[in-house]
């Protein structure tokens, strides 16, 4: 039964990607909702080599955000080496809600090969 749910989710995700003109590979970025809100996100590009090798999985990036919402620095916490650079490049483009001080939080990306 669990496999059936995952297949339905995968089918729905694929349909959404086709509908919105995204690449053939799904990747999502999430943050802890108790942290600062993300105002704008850039999705990471799925590296060609990772696609050819059917590499999938999670990448965790620690992000230091300035009070005005810009990404000051990133540090890889975990993930496949073929995927981490694309995630770092994407998260550096993110904009967060302003806050009174600099904050640090972990962003998780999930790559699924079709």
């Amino acid at each position: 039964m669990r496999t059936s749910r995952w297949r339905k989710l995968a089918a729905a995700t694929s349909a959404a990607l086709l509908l919105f003109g995204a690449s053939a590979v799904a990747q999502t970025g999430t943050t802890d909702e108790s942290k600062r809100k993300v105002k704008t996100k850039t999705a990471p590009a799925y590296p060609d080599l990772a696609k050819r090798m059917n590499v999938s999985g999670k990448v965790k990036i620690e992000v230091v955000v300035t009070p005005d919402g810009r990404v000051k620095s990133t540090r890889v916490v975990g993930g496949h080496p073929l995927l981490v650079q694309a995630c770092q490049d994407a998260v550096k483009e993110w904009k967060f809600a302003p806050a009174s001080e600099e904050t640090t939080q972990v962003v998780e990306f999930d790559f699924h090969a079709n």
Side-chain angles (χ1 to χ4, degrees):
M1 182 168 161
R2 190 167 260 252
T3 303
S4 177
R5 269 192 254 157
W6 285 112
R7 284 187 182 149
K8 288 179 183 176
L9 179 62
T13 302
S14 296
L17 288 170
L18 289 173
L19 180 65
F20 293 108
S23 67
V25 181
Q27 61 270 354
T28 57
T30 58
T31 63
D32 182 357
E33 290 302 317
S34 66
K35 300 285 187 173
R36 288 168 70 173
K37 300 284 187 212
V38 180
K39 292 175 75 175
T40 60
K41 289 183 182 181
T42 300
Y46 204 104
D48 287 335
L49 181 58
K51 270 192 240 182
R52 288 193 303 264
M53 295 177 63
N54 279 335
V55 173
S56 61
K58 295 180 187 285
V59 174
K60 290 184 180 182
I61 306 286
E62 182 182 76
V63 181
V64 177
V65 184
T66 63
D68 69 352
R70 290 178 295 113
V71 174
K72 178 179 179 180
S73 64
T74 62
R75 181 179 69 86
V76 176
V77 177
H80 196 286
L82 289 177
L83 302 174
V84 296
Q85 188 62 53
C87 294
Q88 279 188 300
D89 292 345
V91 81
K92 286 177 183 176
E93 301 295 319
W94 286 22
K95 302 291 184 240
F96 290 80
S100 59
E101 61 186 26
E102 188 173 278
T103 60
T104 302
Q105 63 194 72
V106 175
V107 178
E108 185 175 286
F109 293 91
D110 201 3
F111 285 82
H112 299 283
N114 285 347

